[in-house]
Amino acid sequence: MTGSTSKAHQAGSELLVDRCDLLIAIWDGSPARGYGGTADVVHYARRSSTPVTILWPEGATR
């Protein structure tokens, strides 16, 4: 069995974005901590003209 990679995570996220009408992301606005992180997925969705709604609950910290 092979472990997953950052490249595989990003590829899976891109497949998801390509099939959705709206991406809802729980994201604090920080850069990705590695390729395929939330920031990369949000950036991909925006480049693909997929509408993005960002949710970050008030008072939440990372």
Side-chain angles (χ1 to χ4, degrees):
M1 184 161 108
T2 303
S4 64
T5 64
S6 295
K7 186 176 178 180
H9 291 199
Q10 182 67 22
S13 295
E14 290 178 10
L15 287 172
L16 175 73
V17 168
D18 292 344
R19 287 161 177 75
C20 71
D21 297 319
L22 167 68
L23 176 69
I24 299 173
I26 310 299
W27 181 43
D28 64 0
S30 296
R33 291 181 285 173
Y35 183 63
T38 305
D40 295 322
V41 178
V42 168
H43 182 70
Y44 176 81
R46 288 177 172 160
R47 279 193 339 256
S48 302
S49 299
T50 298
V52 178
T53 296
I54 306 296
L55 301 178
W56 189 248
E58 184 177 327
T61 59
R62 185 171 126 165

Short mmCIF file of all heavy atoms in Angstrom, two decimals:
data_model
loop_
_atom_site.label_atom_id
_atom_site.label_comp_id
_atom_site.label_asym_id
_atom_site.label_seq_id
_atom_site.Cartn_x
_atom_site.Cartn_y
_atom_site.Cartn_z
N MET A 1 0.84 -1.19 0.00
CA MET A 1 0.00 0.00 0.00
C MET A 1 0.88 1.24 0.00
O MET A 1 1.85 1.32 0.74
CB MET A 1 -0.91 0.00 1.22
CG MET A 1 -1.88 1.14 1.23
SD MET A 1 -3.26 0.84 2.33
CE MET A 1 -2.88 1.95 3.64
N THR A 2 0.53 2.20 -0.82
CA THR A 2 1.28 3.44 -0.93
C THR A 2 0.57 4.54 -0.18
O THR A 2 -0.65 4.66 -0.24
CB THR A 2 1.42 3.84 -2.42
OG1 THR A 2 2.03 2.77 -3.12
CG2 THR A 2 2.25 5.09 -2.57
N GLY A 3 1.31 5.36 0.53
CA GLY A 3 0.72 6.48 1.25
C GLY A 3 0.32 7.59 0.29
O GLY A 3 0.79 7.67 -0.84
N SER A 4 -0.57 8.45 0.74
CA SER A 4 -1.00 9.56 -0.11
C SER A 4 0.06 10.65 -0.12
O SER A 4 0.91 10.73 0.76
CB SER A 4 -2.33 10.11 0.38
OG SER A 4 -2.21 10.66 1.67
N THR A 5 0.00 11.48 -1.14
CA THR A 5 0.96 12.57 -1.28
C THR A 5 0.21 13.89 -1.39
O THR A 5 -0.99 13.93 -1.65
CB THR A 5 1.80 12.38 -2.56
OG1 THR A 5 0.92 12.48 -3.70
CG2 THR A 5 2.52 11.03 -2.56
N SER A 6 0.94 14.98 -1.22
CA SER A 6 0.35 16.31 -1.38
C SER A 6 -0.19 16.49 -2.79
O SER A 6 -1.26 17.08 -2.99
CB SER A 6 1.39 17.39 -1.09
OG SER A 6 1.77 17.34 0.26
N LYS A 7 0.53 15.97 -3.77
CA LYS A 7 0.08 16.05 -5.16
C LYS A 7 -1.25 15.33 -5.34
O LYS A 7 -2.14 15.82 -6.03
CB LYS A 7 1.15 15.47 -6.09
CG LYS A 7 0.86 15.64 -7.55
CD LYS A 7 2.00 15.13 -8.41
CE LYS A 7 1.68 15.28 -9.88
NZ LYS A 7 2.76 14.80 -10.74
N ALA A 8 -1.40 14.17 -4.71
CA ALA A 8 -2.65 13.41 -4.79
C ALA A 8 -3.79 14.17 -4.10
O ALA A 8 -4.92 14.18 -4.59
CB ALA A 8 -2.48 12.03 -4.17
N HIS A 9 -3.50 14.81 -2.97
CA HIS A 9 -4.52 15.58 -2.26
C HIS A 9 -5.02 16.73 -3.15
O HIS A 9 -6.23 16.97 -3.25
CB HIS A 9 -3.96 16.15 -0.96
CG HIS A 9 -3.68 15.11 0.07
ND1 HIS A 9 -3.55 15.42 1.40
CD2 HIS A 9 -3.50 13.78 -0.02
CE1 HIS A 9 -3.30 14.32 2.09
NE2 HIS A 9 -3.27 13.32 1.24
N GLN A 10 -4.09 17.43 -3.79
CA GLN A 10 -4.48 18.53 -4.66
C GLN A 10 -5.27 18.02 -5.85
O GLN A 10 -6.28 18.60 -6.23
CB GLN A 10 -3.25 19.32 -5.13
CG GLN A 10 -3.57 20.51 -6.01
CD GLN A 10 -4.33 21.62 -5.29
OE1 GLN A 10 -4.29 21.74 -4.08
NE2 GLN A 10 -5.01 22.46 -6.06
N ALA A 11 -4.83 16.92 -6.45
CA ALA A 11 -5.54 16.36 -7.61
C ALA A 11 -6.97 15.98 -7.24
O ALA A 11 -7.91 16.25 -7.99
CB ALA A 11 -4.79 15.15 -8.16
N GLY A 12 -7.15 15.37 -6.08
CA GLY A 12 -8.50 15.01 -5.63
C GLY A 12 -9.36 16.23 -5.39
O GLY A 12 -10.54 16.27 -5.75
N SER A 13 -8.77 17.26 -4.81
CA SER A 13 -9.50 18.50 -4.56
C SER A 13 -9.90 19.18 -5.87
O SER A 13 -11.00 19.73 -5.98
CB SER A 13 -8.66 19.46 -3.71
OG SER A 13 -8.46 18.91 -2.42
N GLU A 14 -9.01 19.14 -6.85
CA GLU A 14 -9.34 19.73 -8.15
C GLU A 14 -10.49 18.98 -8.82
O GLU A 14 -11.36 19.61 -9.44
CB GLU A 14 -8.10 19.76 -9.05
CG GLU A 14 -7.08 20.78 -8.57
CD GLU A 14 -5.81 20.82 -9.39
OE1 GLU A 14 -5.76 20.19 -10.47
OE2 GLU A 14 -4.85 21.48 -8.95
N LEU A 15 -10.50 17.66 -8.71
CA LEU A 15 -11.63 16.89 -9.24
C LEU A 15 -12.93 17.32 -8.58
O LEU A 15 -13.96 17.47 -9.24
CB LEU A 15 -11.41 15.39 -9.03
CG LEU A 15 -10.37 14.72 -9.91
CD1 LEU A 15 -10.12 13.29 -9.44
CD2 LEU A 15 -10.82 14.72 -11.36
N LEU A 16 -12.90 17.51 -7.27
CA LEU A 16 -14.08 17.95 -6.53
C LEU A 16 -14.53 19.33 -7.00
O LEU A 16 -15.70 19.55 -7.32
CB LEU A 16 -13.78 17.98 -5.04
CG LEU A 16 -14.89 18.53 -4.16
CD1 LEU A 16 -16.02 17.53 -4.06
CD2 LEU A 16 -14.35 18.86 -2.78
N VAL A 17 -13.60 20.28 -7.08
CA VAL A 17 -13.93 21.64 -7.51
C VAL A 17 -14.51 21.63 -8.92
O VAL A 17 -15.48 22.34 -9.21
CB VAL A 17 -12.68 22.56 -7.43
CG1 VAL A 17 -12.92 23.89 -8.13
CG2 VAL A 17 -12.28 22.79 -5.97
N ASP A 18 -13.94 20.83 -9.80
CA ASP A 18 -14.41 20.76 -11.19
C ASP A 18 -15.84 20.25 -11.30
O ASP A 18 -16.50 20.46 -12.31
CB ASP A 18 -13.49 19.87 -12.03
CG ASP A 18 -12.11 20.48 -12.24
OD1 ASP A 18 -11.95 21.70 -12.01
OD2 ASP A 18 -11.19 19.73 -12.61
N ARG A 19 -16.32 19.60 -10.26
CA ARG A 19 -17.66 19.01 -10.29
C ARG A 19 -18.68 19.75 -9.41
O ARG A 19 -19.82 19.34 -9.32
CB ARG A 19 -17.59 17.54 -9.86
CG ARG A 19 -16.95 16.68 -10.93
CD ARG A 19 -16.45 15.36 -10.37
NE ARG A 19 -15.90 14.51 -11.42
CZ ARG A 19 -14.73 14.68 -12.01
NH1 ARG A 19 -13.97 15.70 -11.69
NH2 ARG A 19 -14.30 13.86 -12.95
N CYS A 20 -18.26 20.81 -8.77
CA CYS A 20 -19.21 21.51 -7.89
C CYS A 20 -19.58 22.88 -8.46
O CYS A 20 -18.89 23.45 -9.30
CB CYS A 20 -18.64 21.64 -6.48
SG CYS A 20 -17.27 22.78 -6.28
N ASP A 21 -20.73 23.38 -8.00
CA ASP A 21 -21.19 24.70 -8.42
C ASP A 21 -20.71 25.79 -7.47
O ASP A 21 -20.68 26.96 -7.83
CB ASP A 21 -22.73 24.73 -8.44
CG ASP A 21 -23.29 23.77 -9.47
OD1 ASP A 21 -22.73 23.67 -10.58
OD2 ASP A 21 -24.30 23.10 -9.17
N LEU A 22 -20.34 25.40 -6.25
CA LEU A 22 -19.91 26.34 -5.23
C LEU A 22 -18.98 25.60 -4.28
O LEU A 22 -19.31 24.49 -3.83
CB LEU A 22 -21.11 26.88 -4.44
CG LEU A 22 -20.84 27.64 -3.15
CD1 LEU A 22 -20.16 28.97 -3.44
CD2 LEU A 22 -22.14 27.85 -2.37
N LEU A 23 -17.83 26.19 -3.98
CA LEU A 23 -16.92 25.62 -2.98
C LEU A 23 -17.13 26.37 -1.68
O LEU A 23 -17.06 27.60 -1.65
CB LEU A 23 -15.47 25.76 -3.43
CG LEU A 23 -14.43 25.29 -2.42
CD1 LEU A 23 -14.49 23.77 -2.27
CD2 LEU A 23 -13.04 25.74 -2.81
N ILE A 24 -17.44 25.65 -0.62
CA ILE A 24 -17.53 26.23 0.72
C ILE A 24 -16.31 25.74 1.48
O ILE A 24 -16.12 24.53 1.65
CB ILE A 24 -18.83 25.81 1.43
CG1 ILE A 24 -20.03 26.30 0.62
CG2 ILE A 24 -18.85 26.36 2.86
CD1 ILE A 24 -21.36 25.82 1.14
N ALA A 25 -15.46 26.68 1.90
CA ALA A 25 -14.21 26.32 2.56
C ALA A 25 -14.17 26.88 3.98
O ALA A 25 -14.52 28.03 4.20
CB ALA A 25 -13.03 26.86 1.76
N ILE A 26 -13.76 26.05 4.91
CA ILE A 26 -13.46 26.50 6.27
C ILE A 26 -11.97 26.84 6.23
O ILE A 26 -11.12 25.95 6.15
CB ILE A 26 -13.72 25.38 7.31
CG1 ILE A 26 -15.09 24.77 7.14
CG2 ILE A 26 -13.50 25.92 8.72
CD1 ILE A 26 -16.25 25.71 7.30
N TRP A 27 -11.66 28.13 6.25
CA TRP A 27 -10.28 28.56 6.00
C TRP A 27 -10.00 29.86 6.73
O TRP A 27 -10.81 30.79 6.70
CB TRP A 27 -10.09 28.72 4.50
CG TRP A 27 -8.73 29.14 4.04
CD1 TRP A 27 -7.53 28.68 4.48
CD2 TRP A 27 -8.44 30.10 3.03
NE1 TRP A 27 -6.51 29.27 3.80
CE2 TRP A 27 -7.05 30.15 2.90
CE3 TRP A 27 -9.22 30.90 2.21
CZ2 TRP A 27 -6.41 30.99 2.00
CZ3 TRP A 27 -8.58 31.73 1.31
CH2 TRP A 27 -7.20 31.77 1.19
N ASP A 28 -8.84 29.95 7.34
CA ASP A 28 -8.46 31.16 8.08
C ASP A 28 -7.73 32.18 7.23
O ASP A 28 -7.30 33.22 7.72
CB ASP A 28 -7.62 30.80 9.30
CG ASP A 28 -6.30 30.16 8.95
OD1 ASP A 28 -6.00 29.98 7.75
OD2 ASP A 28 -5.55 29.82 9.88
N GLY A 29 -7.56 31.91 5.94
CA GLY A 29 -6.89 32.85 5.05
C GLY A 29 -5.39 32.71 5.01
O GLY A 29 -4.72 33.43 4.27
N SER A 30 -4.84 31.80 5.79
CA SER A 30 -3.39 31.61 5.82
C SER A 30 -2.91 30.82 4.61
O SER A 30 -3.68 30.04 4.03
CB SER A 30 -2.98 30.84 7.09
OG SER A 30 -3.28 31.59 8.24
N PRO A 31 -1.64 31.00 4.23
CA PRO A 31 -1.09 30.20 3.14
C PRO A 31 -1.14 28.71 3.49
O PRO A 31 -1.14 28.34 4.67
CB PRO A 31 0.36 30.67 3.04
CG PRO A 31 0.41 31.98 3.75
CD PRO A 31 -0.67 31.94 4.79
N ALA A 32 -1.14 27.89 2.47
CA ALA A 32 -1.11 26.44 2.68
C ALA A 32 0.18 26.07 3.39
O ALA A 32 1.24 26.65 3.14
CB ALA A 32 -1.23 25.71 1.35
N ARG A 33 0.11 25.08 4.28
CA ARG A 33 1.31 24.60 4.98
C ARG A 33 2.02 23.52 4.17
O ARG A 33 3.03 22.99 4.59
CB ARG A 33 0.94 24.07 6.36
CG ARG A 33 0.50 25.20 7.29
CD ARG A 33 0.16 24.66 8.65
NE ARG A 33 -1.14 23.99 8.54
CZ ARG A 33 -1.69 23.28 9.49
NH1 ARG A 33 -1.06 23.12 10.63
NH2 ARG A 33 -2.86 22.73 9.32
N GLY A 34 1.49 23.23 3.02
CA GLY A 34 2.06 22.24 2.11
C GLY A 34 1.17 22.21 0.88
O GLY A 34 0.00 22.61 0.94
N TYR A 35 1.73 21.77 -0.24
CA TYR A 35 0.95 21.74 -1.48
C TYR A 35 -0.30 20.90 -1.28
O TYR A 35 -0.26 19.83 -0.70
CB TYR A 35 1.80 21.17 -2.61
CG TYR A 35 1.09 21.16 -3.95
CD1 TYR A 35 0.70 22.36 -4.54
CD2 TYR A 35 0.80 19.97 -4.59
CE1 TYR A 35 0.05 22.35 -5.77
CE2 TYR A 35 0.15 19.96 -5.82
CZ TYR A 35 -0.23 21.16 -6.40
OH TYR A 35 -0.88 21.16 -7.60
N GLY A 36 -1.43 21.43 -1.74
CA GLY A 36 -2.69 20.72 -1.63
C GLY A 36 -3.50 21.15 -0.42
O GLY A 36 -4.55 20.59 -0.14
N GLY A 37 -3.03 22.16 0.28
CA GLY A 37 -3.77 22.68 1.43
C GLY A 37 -4.96 23.53 1.01
O GLY A 37 -5.18 23.78 -0.18
N THR A 38 -5.70 24.00 1.98
CA THR A 38 -6.92 24.75 1.71
C THR A 38 -6.65 25.97 0.83
O THR A 38 -7.41 26.25 -0.09
CB THR A 38 -7.59 25.17 3.02
OG1 THR A 38 -7.81 24.01 3.82
CG2 THR A 38 -8.91 25.87 2.77
N ALA A 39 -5.56 26.67 1.09
CA ALA A 39 -5.25 27.86 0.29
C ALA A 39 -5.08 27.50 -1.19
O ALA A 39 -5.56 28.22 -2.07
CB ALA A 39 -3.99 28.54 0.80
N ASP A 40 -4.44 26.38 -1.46
CA ASP A 40 -4.24 25.95 -2.85
C ASP A 40 -5.56 25.58 -3.51
O ASP A 40 -5.78 25.88 -4.68
CB ASP A 40 -3.29 24.75 -2.91
CG ASP A 40 -1.89 25.09 -2.46
OD1 ASP A 40 -1.41 26.20 -2.77
OD2 ASP A 40 -1.27 24.25 -1.78
N VAL A 41 -6.45 24.95 -2.75
CA VAL A 41 -7.74 24.54 -3.31
C VAL A 41 -8.61 25.77 -3.58
O VAL A 41 -9.23 25.88 -4.64
CB VAL A 41 -8.46 23.56 -2.36
CG1 VAL A 41 -9.82 23.18 -2.91
CG2 VAL A 41 -7.60 22.31 -2.16
N VAL A 42 -8.62 26.73 -2.66
CA VAL A 42 -9.39 27.96 -2.87
C VAL A 42 -8.83 28.71 -4.08
O VAL A 42 -9.59 29.20 -4.92
CB VAL A 42 -9.37 28.84 -1.60
CG1 VAL A 42 -9.90 30.24 -1.88
CG2 VAL A 42 -10.16 28.17 -0.48
N HIS A 43 -7.51 28.78 -4.18
CA HIS A 43 -6.90 29.47 -5.33
C HIS A 43 -7.28 28.77 -6.64
O HIS A 43 -7.63 29.44 -7.62
CB HIS A 43 -5.37 29.50 -5.16
CG HIS A 43 -4.65 30.21 -6.24
ND1 HIS A 43 -4.72 31.58 -6.41
CD2 HIS A 43 -3.86 29.76 -7.23
CE1 HIS A 43 -4.01 31.92 -7.47
NE2 HIS A 43 -3.47 30.82 -7.99
N TYR A 44 -7.25 27.46 -6.65
CA TYR A 44 -7.64 26.71 -7.85
C TYR A 44 -9.09 27.00 -8.22
O TYR A 44 -9.41 27.23 -9.39
CB TYR A 44 -7.44 25.20 -7.64
CG TYR A 44 -7.92 24.39 -8.81
CD1 TYR A 44 -7.13 24.24 -9.94
CD2 TYR A 44 -9.19 23.81 -8.82
CE1 TYR A 44 -7.57 23.52 -11.04
CE2 TYR A 44 -9.64 23.09 -9.91
CZ TYR A 44 -8.83 22.95 -11.02
OH TYR A 44 -9.29 22.25 -12.12
N ALA A 45 -9.98 26.99 -7.23
CA ALA A 45 -11.39 27.24 -7.50
C ALA A 45 -11.58 28.64 -8.08
O ALA A 45 -12.34 28.82 -9.05
CB ALA A 45 -12.21 27.09 -6.22
N ARG A 46 -10.91 29.60 -7.53
CA ARG A 46 -11.04 30.98 -8.04
C ARG A 46 -10.51 31.10 -9.46
O ARG A 46 -11.10 31.77 -10.30
CB ARG A 46 -10.35 31.95 -7.09
CG ARG A 46 -11.12 32.11 -5.79
CD ARG A 46 -10.42 33.01 -4.81
NE ARG A 46 -11.28 33.28 -3.66
CZ ARG A 46 -10.84 33.71 -2.50
NH1 ARG A 46 -9.55 33.92 -2.31
NH2 ARG A 46 -11.68 33.92 -1.51
N ARG A 47 -9.37 30.43 -9.75
CA ARG A 47 -8.82 30.44 -11.11
C ARG A 47 -9.78 29.75 -12.08
O ARG A 47 -9.81 30.09 -13.27
CB ARG A 47 -7.47 29.70 -11.15
CG ARG A 47 -6.30 30.47 -10.69
CD ARG A 47 -4.96 29.81 -11.04
NE ARG A 47 -4.98 28.40 -11.30
CZ ARG A 47 -4.58 27.44 -10.47
NH1 ARG A 47 -4.11 27.75 -9.29
NH2 ARG A 47 -4.63 26.17 -10.82
N SER A 48 -10.53 28.79 -11.58
CA SER A 48 -11.46 28.03 -12.41
C SER A 48 -12.83 28.69 -12.51
O SER A 48 -13.75 28.12 -13.08
CB SER A 48 -11.64 26.62 -11.83
OG SER A 48 -10.41 25.96 -11.76
N SER A 49 -12.96 29.86 -11.91
CA SER A 49 -14.23 30.62 -11.88
C SER A 49 -15.34 29.89 -11.13
O SER A 49 -16.52 30.11 -11.38
CB SER A 49 -14.69 30.97 -13.30
OG SER A 49 -13.72 31.77 -13.93
N THR A 50 -14.97 29.01 -10.20
CA THR A 50 -15.95 28.37 -9.33
C THR A 50 -16.18 29.32 -8.16
O THR A 50 -15.23 29.73 -7.50
CB THR A 50 -15.41 27.02 -8.80
OG1 THR A 50 -15.19 26.16 -9.92
CG2 THR A 50 -16.40 26.37 -7.84
N PRO A 51 -17.44 29.68 -7.89
CA PRO A 51 -17.70 30.57 -6.74
C PRO A 51 -17.20 29.92 -5.44
O PRO A 51 -17.30 28.71 -5.26
CB PRO A 51 -19.22 30.70 -6.74
CG PRO A 51 -19.64 30.35 -8.12
CD PRO A 51 -18.65 29.33 -8.61
N VAL A 52 -16.66 30.76 -4.57
CA VAL A 52 -16.10 30.30 -3.30
C VAL A 52 -16.73 31.09 -2.16
O VAL A 52 -16.77 32.32 -2.21
CB VAL A 52 -14.57 30.47 -3.26
CG1 VAL A 52 -14.00 30.03 -1.92
CG2 VAL A 52 -13.90 29.73 -4.40
N THR A 53 -17.20 30.39 -1.15
CA THR A 53 -17.65 31.01 0.10
C THR A 53 -16.71 30.53 1.19
O THR A 53 -16.49 29.33 1.34
CB THR A 53 -19.09 30.61 0.43
OG1 THR A 53 -19.96 31.11 -0.59
CG2 THR A 53 -19.53 31.17 1.77
N ILE A 54 -16.12 31.49 1.92
CA ILE A 54 -15.20 31.16 2.99
C ILE A 54 -15.93 31.30 4.33
O ILE A 54 -16.56 32.31 4.59
CB ILE A 54 -13.99 32.12 3.01
CG1 ILE A 54 -13.28 32.16 1.64
CG2 ILE A 54 -13.03 31.79 4.13
CD1 ILE A 54 -12.65 30.88 1.22
N LEU A 55 -15.85 30.28 5.15
CA LEU A 55 -16.43 30.31 6.49
C LEU A 55 -15.29 30.23 7.50
O LEU A 55 -14.40 29.39 7.39
CB LEU A 55 -17.36 29.12 6.71
CG LEU A 55 -18.54 28.98 5.78
CD1 LEU A 55 -19.33 27.72 6.11
CD2 LEU A 55 -19.44 30.20 5.84
N TRP A 56 -15.30 31.12 8.45
CA TRP A 56 -14.37 31.06 9.56
C TRP A 56 -15.12 31.57 10.77
O TRP A 56 -15.38 32.77 10.88
CB TRP A 56 -13.11 31.89 9.27
CG TRP A 56 -12.05 31.69 10.29
CD1 TRP A 56 -11.61 32.62 11.20
CD2 TRP A 56 -11.29 30.51 10.55
NE1 TRP A 56 -10.64 32.08 11.99
CE2 TRP A 56 -10.43 30.78 11.60
CE3 TRP A 56 -11.29 29.25 9.99
CZ2 TRP A 56 -9.54 29.83 12.12
CZ3 TRP A 56 -10.42 28.29 10.49
CH2 TRP A 56 -9.55 28.60 11.54
N PRO A 57 -15.52 30.67 11.64
CA PRO A 57 -16.36 31.06 12.77
C PRO A 57 -15.72 32.16 13.62
O PRO A 57 -14.51 32.12 13.89
CB PRO A 57 -16.50 29.76 13.57
CG PRO A 57 -16.19 28.67 12.61
CD PRO A 57 -15.21 29.25 11.64
N GLU A 58 -16.51 33.12 14.03
CA GLU A 58 -16.03 34.21 14.87
C GLU A 58 -15.42 33.63 16.13
O GLU A 58 -15.96 32.72 16.76
CB GLU A 58 -17.19 35.13 15.24
CG GLU A 58 -16.75 36.34 16.03
CD GLU A 58 -17.91 37.28 16.31
OE1 GLU A 58 -18.82 37.38 15.48
OE2 GLU A 58 -17.88 37.91 17.38
N GLY A 59 -14.25 34.15 16.49
CA GLY A 59 -13.56 33.71 17.69
C GLY A 59 -12.72 32.47 17.53
O GLY A 59 -11.99 32.08 18.44
N ALA A 60 -12.79 31.82 16.38
CA ALA A 60 -12.00 30.61 16.15
C ALA A 60 -10.54 31.01 15.94
O ALA A 60 -10.24 32.03 15.35
CB ALA A 60 -12.52 29.85 14.94
N THR A 61 -9.66 30.20 16.46
CA THR A 61 -8.23 30.45 16.28
C THR A 61 -7.56 29.17 15.82
O THR A 61 -8.11 28.08 15.97
CB THR A 61 -7.57 30.93 17.58
OG1 THR A 61 -7.76 29.93 18.59
CG2 THR A 61 -8.14 32.25 18.05
N ARG A 62 -6.38 29.33 15.32
CA ARG A 62 -5.63 28.18 14.84
C ARG A 62 -4.39 27.99 15.67
O ARG A 62 -3.79 28.90 16.14
CB ARG A 62 -5.26 28.41 13.39
CG ARG A 62 -4.59 27.25 12.76
CD ARG A 62 -4.48 27.49 11.30
NE ARG A 62 -3.10 27.33 10.93
CZ ARG A 62 -2.72 27.19 9.69
NH1 ARG A 62 -3.59 27.27 8.72
NH2 ARG A 62 -1.46 27.02 9.40
#
